[in-house]
Amino acid sequence: MADKVTIADVARHAKVSRQTVSNVLNSPEVVREETRLRVQEAVQALGYRVSQAARQMRTGRSMLIASRIEPAQDDGINGFVFDRYLHGLTESAARAGYRVLLYTADDHDAELATFDDLLGVHEPDAFVLTSTDYGDPRTTRLLELGIPFVTFGRPWGVPPERRYPWVDVDGAAGTALATRYLLDAGHRRIGFLGWPGGSGVGDDRRAGWARALADAGAGPAEIAELDHRTDDGVPQGEAAAHALIDAGRPATALVCVSDSLALGALQAGRRIPVIGFDDTPVARAVGLTSVRQPITEVAASCVSILVRLLDGDARGRGAAGREREQNVGGRQDAGSGGSASPLREAPPEQVLHQPTLVRRQSA
Amino acid sequence: MADKVTIADVARHAKVSRQTVSNVLNSPEVVREETRLRVQEAVQALGYRVSQAARQMRTGRSMLIASRIEPAQDDGINGFVFDRYLHGLTESAARAGYRVLLYTADDHDAELATFDDLLGVHEPDAFVLTSTDYGDPRTTRLLELGIPFVTFGRPWGVPPERRYPWVDVDGAAGTALATRYLLDAGHRRIGFLGWPGGSGVGDDRRAGWARALADAGAGPAEIAELDHRTDDGVPQGEAAAHALIDAGRPATALVCVSDSLALGALQAGRRIPVIGFDDTPVARAVGLTSVRQPITEVAASCVSILVRLLDGDARGRGAAGREREQNVGGRQDAGSGGSASPLREAPPEQVLHQPTLVRRQSA
DNA sequence: TTGAAAGCGTTACCAG
DNA sequence: CTGGTAACGCTTTCAA
């Protein structure tokens, strides 16, 4: 049908120069209103769309945000959260004029290689990283390359001088919420089914439970007694629940680090209250009360951080901008007059979202 | 670091012309082996990557496959299945040199609008559509536009003359598999928990169960008696299971159209065998026997069909190729000599994958 | 087989 | 604000 309408067609139709059309598109405020309207009308009439490929050649910006899609795990429960994240990311990105480009990688090394490939070929403007862990090589690499990125997940164990922007959910606040809920219901001996120490996320969630218990007057010894650690999984949850419930001084309620463990605890058969984490379909299916992460908001924060980074960053990696500045501590001209504005060392943005408790029959 | 190495750099390094480099990349067989090796060495040494943007300007091909990411919901394609699909698609696409571009849309109209937007701006080479339903307007539109696409899901209710390529899983075979498994275990009265009629997927799965039962000698009346229909959901499954089990002549085993319904049936408390559909994490968690769809293979088929379509289709939508031919019935030159080979009306490819039964405690 | 030139649609830079 | 020109990196056409 419409045979690829170019900017020249629009210019002809609106009786202006190509440059003016470009201006209307990129910096509308510089064009007189009358002209601008005429051009916009022509754009509408002709159904003009900027060719991303051509634009990218000039500006070096692809309007692409790359994100890894993780394989659905065997426990799969995490997959649900990830799915919501990806959907939210795609939606928020679209609102800001960006699209999400997917890639896979089996491990960190493969992902580093994919970075090179992607950056060479499709040249995404930014990355969103998920499942960051201790000493994650990916952030270091992107920092070196000067490619804007955010992580969904805090930089566990990263030294303060090597900071980067991140978005996360306050897991400790979530378990604290759950614990306080049980405390309010009259429980005192509230056990915690958690993962083995060493996982940032798991330790964080345990800390929230421990804090709430301590706030309620529990001593360190009692807390240690109620703290059970095991690998993730339903059978593991069942076994762990038995251990805590059948103890000399049994737990009367349980907070769990995941819905998998919580489901196992539920299957242990005792009728004590159980609260899970992530509000997965499983939870909904079996009526499990669970802590819900505001994933859509997380995704939106990721995008808005990236957009701010990309807009404040006029360089344009591809064509013109030869020099590549570091992302952190980049210049930020505040629009002051002629003289150079003083450099401002803006700290990377960090957003911590608060989870909520979804109450169902299990507690 | 490496300041955007171009094809000219490679040419200089290998002491050949730019053109020769381009040839090595695009049609290696046309260049002498010695030269080719030297060029490839230079590519390696310099870490050259073709710029997709530049290539796209000339060829009109973006090497992008667009797919909608559905919001994680309980209905429609199960979130878990969808996740595996997307992951498989990304992986297969990467192997073929393509990347997956995500988009969202709340309904069909919004999706049609997104088609225009996407095709105007990022110009994906093809689409993969999921969750196709009766009278789906999306396939019609893409057919009109002449954009290559495949659907994951058969064209339910589409007239034969308006065919397009699709990939699907044989749901009827899956439920038949499950039913025969129960028959072999000695069961005769095997109930089916299905969705209300009118959904292609649901009807298909019911048909497989009914066929297996009929093959085993059950009469139409008995089959109707054992056929229970309800909306998807765990509570619905529980209620439906009760209805079938507490009937005058009770069912002694159940085949279900989804894991949700199966989970409900399990919760109904009777200890009769239950088989679900989709092998979701829930199934694994509670030990539910379930029919598993070979999603990775589905995704791979989607990609290979698209690749075949795109490679056989030399046009290149963007720059050069003005005319846009219809996808269906396109020319396919079989490499015969000088004279024009006869037009061959190649029927769109259609692949039906077979599911498997994952046995667990529930049956 | 190889080399030179043109052109894809944009944006950036210039003088008017 | 307009118009002209250059450039981005690549593929294609045409000559050598």
Side-chain angles (χ1 to χ4, degrees), chain B:
Chain B
M1 306 230 142
D3 257 338
K4 198 61 188 170
V5 34
T6 81
I7 209 170
D9 298 325
V10 177
R12 208 173 309 122
H13 188 99
K15 303 193 193 308
V16 296
S17 72
R18 275 176 274 180
Q19 170 54 5
T20 306
V21 178
S22 182
N23 278 340
V24 171
L25 266 51
N26 298 300
S27 20
E29 70 282 359
V30 88
V31 78
R32 202 186 341 148
E33 175 158 352
E34 178 198 320
T35 324
R36 186 178 54 213
L37 287 177
R38 202 168 69 234
V39 170
Q40 282 166 343
E41 210 167 289
V43 166
Q44 284 290 326
L46 274 58
Y48 167 81
R49 311 257 159 185
V50 343
S51 156
Q52 184 47 47
R55 164 178 284 182
Q56 183 176 348
M57 283 209 66
R58 259 333 249 161
T59 65
R61 304 195 40 175
S62 61
M63 305 309 279
L64 254 27
I65 294 175
S67 185
R68 183 164 84 95
I69 179 167
E70 306 191 357
Q73 276 181 355
D74 279 345
D75 59 350
I77 287 194
N78 177 294
F80 176 67
V81 170
F82 189 79
D83 213 44
R84 279 169 55 215
Y85 151 77
L86 254 193
H87 188 265
L89 193 71
T90 306
E91 198 157 318
S92 294
R95 248 190 274 282
Y98 289 82
R99 295 280 170 191
V100 173
L101 192 67
L102 251 32
Y103 65 93
T104 55
D106 290 335
D107 53 40
H108 284 168
D109 279 345
E111 192 162 355
L112 291 184
T114 306
F115 284 172
D116 291 344
D117 194 71
L118 235 32
L119 289 170
V121 178
H122 285 277
E123 307 181 55
D125 293 330
F127 283 78
V128 185
L129 264 31
T130 51
S131 301
T132 49
D133 51 33
Y134 290 106
D136 201 311
R138 302 172 298 163
T139 55
T140 313
R141 170 66 67 86
L142 289 181
L143 238 24
E144 285 169 8
L145 292 172
I147 305 296
F149 71 95
V150 205
T151 65
F152 173 7
R154 273 162 282 180
W156 307 106
V158 168
E161 66 271 16
R162 223 163 170 54
R163 279 291 160 79
Y164 50 79
W166 54 258
V167 179
D168 204 357
V169 173
D170 192 342
T175 44
L177 206 59
T179 308
R180 279 197 297 271
Y181 178 76
L182 293 170
L183 284 167
D184 288 348
H187 292 276
R188 303 257 88 204
R189 294 192 54 85
I190 301 167
F192 184 76
L193 262 53
W195 297 320
S199 106
V201 174
D203 294 349
D204 183 45
R205 293 182 186 173
R206 175 168 23 248
W209 158 80
R211 194 183 62 210
L213 231 47
D215 286 351
E222 188 179 11
I223 291 179
E225 195 180 304
L226 289 165
D227 179 11
H228 196 102
R229 307 186 179 201
T230 173
D231 285 329
D232 203 51
V234 176
Q236 288 87 342
E238 189 168 351
H242 274 126
L244 272 172
I245 299 175
D246 298 341
R249 301 179 54 201
T252 65
L254 295 176
V255 171
C256 307
V257 75
S258 74
D259 276 358
S260 307
L261 287 176
L263 188 59
L266 236 43
Q267 287 182 356
R270 308 307 199 274
R271 293 261 172 165
I272 71 170
V274 173
I275 298 183
F277 208 108
D278 270 355
D279 190 33
T280 57
V282 194
R284 208 164 310 147
V286 304
L288 172 67
T289 292
S290 190
V291 176
R292 182 186 176 90
Q293 305 196 46
I295 299 296
T296 306
E297 288 82 347
V298 166
S301 295
C302 288
V303 170
S304 78
I305 287 178
L306 287 183
V307 167
R308 212 136 28 193
L309 241 39
L310 292 167
D311 288 355
D313 189 12
R315 63 198 158 82
R317 289 188 287 101
R322 285 288 161 223
E323 93 302 347
R324 175 172 291 184
E325 4 172 342
Q326 274 296 8
N327 182 13
V328 173
R331 278 159 206 268
Q332 183 163 351
D333 77 322
S336 67
S339 71
S341 56
L343 297 188
R344 193 155 67 80
E345 178 87 19
E349 290 189 65
Q350 307 172 343
V351 183
L352 196 55
H353 285 278
Q354 295 305 312
T356 53
L357 189 66
V358 180
R359 281 169 241 168
R360 298 206 182 80
Q361 300 94 291
S362 82

Side-chain angles (χ1 to χ4, degrees), chain A residues 17-335:
Chain A
S17 70
R18 276 173 278 183
Q19 171 58 354
T20 306
V21 178
S22 182
N23 278 340
V24 170
L25 266 51
N26 299 300
S27 22
E29 70 283 357
V30 88
V31 167
R32 203 187 339 147
E33 173 156 356
E34 179 198 320
T35 323
R36 188 178 53 211
L37 287 177
R38 202 169 69 235
V39 170
Q40 283 166 343
E41 211 167 288
V43 166
Q44 285 290 326
L46 273 58
Y48 166 80
R49 309 258 158 183
V50 7
S51 156
Q52 184 47 47
R55 164 177 284 183
Q56 183 177 346
M57 283 208 65
R58 241 355 236 151
T59 64
R61 304 196 40 175
S62 61
M63 306 308 280
L64 254 28
I65 294 175
S67 186
R68 184 163 83 96
I69 179 167
E70 305 190 357
Q73 298 284 347
D74 257 4
D75 65 31
I77 285 181
N78 224 322
F80 175 68
V81 170
F82 189 79
D83 214 43
R84 279 170 55 216
Y85 150 78
L86 254 193
H87 189 266
L89 192 71
T90 307
E91 197 157 318
S92 295
R95 250 190 272 282
Y98 288 84
R99 296 280 170 191
V100 172
L101 192 68
L102 250 33
Y103 66 94
T104 54
D106 291 334
D107 52 41
H108 284 325
D109 278 344
E111 192 162 356
L112 292 184
T114 306
F115 284 173
D116 291 343
D117 194 71
L118 235 33
L119 289 170
V121 178
H122 286 277
E123 307 180 56
D125 293 330
F127 283 78
V128 186
L129 264 29
T130 50
S131 302
T132 48
D133 51 33
Y134 290 106
D136 201 311
R138 301 173 297 164
T139 55
T140 313
R141 171 66 67 87
L142 289 180
L143 238 25
E144 284 169 7
L145 291 173
I147 305 296
F149 71 94
V150 205
T151 67
F152 172 8
R154 273 161 281 179
W156 307 106
V158 168
E161 65 272 17
R162 221 163 171 56
R163 279 289 161 80
Y164 51 78
W166 53 258
V167 179
D168 205 356
V169 174
D170 192 341
T175 45
L177 206 60
T179 308
R180 279 197 297 270
Y181 178 75
L182 294 170
L183 284 166
D184 288 349
H187 292 277
R188 303 258 89 202
R189 292 192 55 85
I190 301 167
F192 184 77
L193 262 52
W195 297 321
S199 106
V201 174
D203 294 349
D204 183 44
R205 293 183 186 173
R206 174 167 24 244
W209 157 80
R211 193 183 61 212
L213 231 47
D215 286 351
E222 188 178 11
I223 291 180
E225 195 180 305
L226 289 165
D227 178 12
H228 197 101
R229 308 186 178 199
T230 174
D231 284 329
D232 203 51
V234 175
Q236 288 86 341
E238 188 168 351
H242 275 125
L244 273 172
I245 300 175
D246 299 341
R249 301 179 55 202
T252 65
L254 295 175
V255 171
C256 306
V257 74
S258 76
D259 275 0
S260 307
L261 288 176
L263 188 59
L266 235 44
Q267 287 182 356
R270 310 307 201 273
R271 293 263 171 164
I272 71 171
V274 173
I275 298 182
F277 208 108
D278 270 354
D279 190 33
T280 57
V282 194
R284 206 167 311 144
V286 304
L288 173 67
T289 292
S290 191
V291 176
R292 182 186 176 89
Q293 306 195 43
I295 300 295
T296 306
E297 287 81 346
V298 166
S301 295
C302 287
V303 170
S304 78
I305 287 179
L306 286 183
V307 167
R308 211 136 27 193
L309 241 38
L310 291 168
D311 288 356
D313 188 11
R315 65 197 156 82
R317 289 187 290 101
R322 282 288 160 223
E323 91 304 347
R324 178 172 287 183
E325 6 173 341
Q326 275 295 10
N327 181 15
V328 172
R331 279 158 206 270
Q332 184 164 353
D333 76 323

